[in-house]
Amino acid sequence: MSGGDEQLLAALLESMDAALCAFDQDGLVTHWNTEAARILGWTTDDAVGRRGLAGWAVRSADADELMARLLGVMKGPGRQVHEFALLTKDGHRVLVRAQTAAVTAPDGQPAGVYCAFSEVHAQIDLERSIALSDALFQEAPWCVVLIDADLRPAVVNGCAARALRTDREALLGRPLGEVLDQGVEELESALHHVLSEGPPTAPLDLWVTLRADAPGAQRHCWRSGFVRLGSPLGEEPVPLGVGWLFEDITETKLAEQEASQLRFRTNQLRRAANAGAECEDPMEAATGYLDYALAGFADEGLIDVMGSGGKLVRAAGTAGGPGPCLPIASGGIPVPYEEGHPALQSVERLGSVRSADLSPEKAASRRWPEGTVYGLCSVLRSRGRTLGVVTFLRGAGRRPFDRADAAFAEDVAARVAAALDMAALLNRRR
């Protein structure tokens, strides 16, 4: 072997993460690297040149049997795995797991044995880590995605693939924006933060929509945790990517939102009832109910009452934007609603009618304020009679009215109708 080859071999032996020793065919120790010295305390000078391990690295009673096993690998092909106890320089026993293989001479004849070993507990820790990784990427209840430093998925488990509506292999190497629509910026920002600063101190709730879902589909809420993946091979950990773990908590979050919304709306109705009880003028109570209802619910509100000939007459409303609902002096002139208007349909059906995705032209034709995109009309009924219609309007920055909104609007309408009925009774008595 040339001097350059010997230097290369020495450098390789000293840089190994595993401990390594080698024996010639007679059992003489020929090599002993730094990791072996670290584990056992015996230096290279202590080890190299000794015949066998008896009396220093192995108990004398065990040495003959162990050396026979180690040198026996020269009689068979391939590698063998052994577990045995070695002695440290200060007399402690260390259980190691070793891989042994024969070293052959240029003529193919056995020339010795090399033995690479590590402490069993370190090997078990490694095997546990590998087993955990395998378990996570099989059918773990949490979704797991490994993201590389370029923010592209590198490994995806089955749970995550189902959540992302794609195959595991199809997702690999693709930008996240190809599978996520809304929420992808927030996710990428979180990943950048983890790569540069480390994981957040608490799980993060991300609201996302998937490109595989139909337009307008419900958003998903994923409770996400992140871990930074660093290489243990460098002097300083080099970020290899991010482990992203998440679970779908959409139903839980929606239930929390609905409960919070219900509490708020119930509280608003209670406050409206308390305020209405202090109003001498029933019409003031009716507009007050609408004011309390608009908070967090709609941008504008209108009250139309039945006039002569069964036509609807504007009685009160907000003044073209957020603000108090005030009585309107209409002189009894009906609102020029076209046939099929939602307010007229509400009267006809004795219920609520919703409108969505209105164009500016459509909103104008319905005599609704500029900027209206969504409408909800609920009939005003009291003592078995139709008194009119209350209308709630939302602009483009809000979501469409749903069934829960219609139920709340009907609760408000019942209170407004009772106040309007009282106002009509007082007017007749006068």
Side-chain angles (χ1 to χ4, degrees), residues 304-325:
D304 297 329
V305 297
M306 300 298 294
S308 59
K311 302 290 186 179
L312 290 174
V313 177
R314 182 65 42 81
T318 51
C325 180

Side-chain angles (χ1 to χ4, degrees), residues 47 59 102 120 125 144 159 173 184 197 203 241 261 271 290 373 404 410:
R59 292 193 310 172
V120 166
D125 287 345
V144 183
C159 177
V184 67
E197 304 293 337
Q261 183 183 80
R271 294 175 62 195
L290 201 60
V373 179
E410 289 166 3

Side-chain angles (χ1 to χ4, degrees), residues 173-185:
R174 295 170 58 188
L176 293 169
E178 290 189 11
V179 291
L180 296 179
D181 189 5
Q182 297 180 17
V184 67
E185 296 84 0

Side-chain angles (χ1 to χ4, degrees), residues 110-135:
V113 174
Y114 80 80
C115 174
F117 63 90
S118 61
E119 296 176 83
V120 166
H121 73 80
Q123 184 72 19
I124 291 175
D125 287 345
L126 175 61
E127 291 177 359
R128 283 173 178 162
S129 296
I130 295 172
L132 174 61
S133 298
D134 289 342

Side-chain angles (χ1 to χ4, degrees), residues 186-208:
E186 291 80 0
L187 174 58
E188 291 181 343
S189 176
L191 294 173
H192 278 300
H193 176 84
V194 174
L195 285 171
S196 59
E197 304 293 337
T201 56
L204 176 67
D205 290 347
L206 291 172
W207 286 93
V208 302

Side-chain angles (χ1 to χ4, degrees), residues 60-79:
S60 298
D62 301 330
D64 292 343
E65 188 271 338
L66 175 59
M67 287 306 299
R69 286 164 56 193
L70 296 180
L71 296 179
V73 74
M74 290 188 292
K75 300 178 182 179
R79 294 179 297 174

Side-chain angles (χ1 to χ4, degrees), residues 74-358:
M74 290 188 292
K75 300 178 182 179
R79 294 179 297 174
Q80 296 182 12
V81 178
H82 312 271
E83 285 189 6
F84 49 84
L86 295 177
L87 293 177
T88 65
K89 195 169 185 177
D90 57 6
H92 292 89
R93 298 176 75 241
V94 176
L95 186 64
V96 301
R97 181 173 295 175
Q99 290 190 12
T100 59
V103 178
T104 57
D107 61 0
Q109 295 299 312
V113 174
Y114 80 80
C115 174
F117 63 90
S118 61
E119 296 176 83
V120 166
H121 73 80
Q123 184 72 19
I124 291 175
D125 287 345
L126 175 61
E127 291 177 359
R128 283 173 178 162
S129 296
I130 295 172
L132 174 61
S133 298
D134 289 342
L136 287 173
F137 292 109
Q138 294 303 319
E139 291 300 323
W142 273 64
C143 303
V144 183
V145 182
L146 297 191
I147 307 291
D148 64 21
D150 296 324
L151 304 190
R152 295 171 185 256
V155 185
V156 181
N157 76 345
C159 177
R162 290 189 293 272
L164 293 164
R165 307 282 198 277
T166 184
D167 295 331
R168 295 173 63 175
E169 294 75 13
L171 189 60
L172 303 184
R174 295 170 58 188
L176 293 169
E178 290 189 11
V179 291
L180 296 179
D181 189 5
Q182 297 180 17
V184 67
E185 296 84 0
E186 291 80 0
L187 174 58
E188 291 181 343
S189 176
L191 294 173
H192 278 300
H193 176 84
V194 174
L195 285 171
S196 59
E197 304 293 337
T201 56
L204 176 67
D205 290 347
L206 291 172
W207 286 93
V208 302
T209 57
L210 301 173
R211 294 195 181 277
D213 288 343
Q218 183 180 19
R219 295 189 303 161
H220 306 275
C221 183
W222 291 343
R223 177 153 293 170
S224 302
F226 303 90
V227 291
R228 182 164 60 177
L229 306 177
S231 172
L233 302 180
E235 294 184 3
E236 295 183 2
V238 178
L240 296 178
V242 177
W244 173 31
L245 297 84
F246 65 94
E247 64 172 341
D248 194 322
I249 60 167
T250 307
E251 292 186 3
T252 300
K253 294 298 288 186
L254 290 178
E256 290 176 356
Q257 291 179 356
E258 289 176 2
S260 177
Q261 183 183 80
L262 180 60
R263 286 194 299 270
F264 175 77
R265 291 179 177 178
T266 301
N267 187 52
Q268 287 296 96
L269 289 177
R270 180 185 60 78
R271 294 175 62 195
N274 291 339
E278 302 300 323
C279 294
E280 295 184 6
D281 182 1
M283 189 63 188
E284 182 182 352
T287 57
Y289 285 133
L290 201 60
D291 285 335
Y292 279 101
L294 287 175
F297 181 68
D299 297 320
E300 298 196 41
L302 306 171
I303 297 176
D304 297 329
V305 297
M306 300 298 294
S308 59
K311 302 290 186 179
L312 290 174
V313 177
R314 182 65 42 81
T318 51
C325 180
L326 300 173
I328 295 175
S330 62
I333 298 176
V335 183
Y337 287 146
E338 298 178 352
E339 185 178 354
H341 191 283
L344 301 179
Q345 293 182 41
S346 179
V347 170
E348 181 180 351
R349 300 176 185 178
L350 300 181
S352 296
V353 176
R354 288 175 280 165
S355 301
D357 299 325
L358 299 174

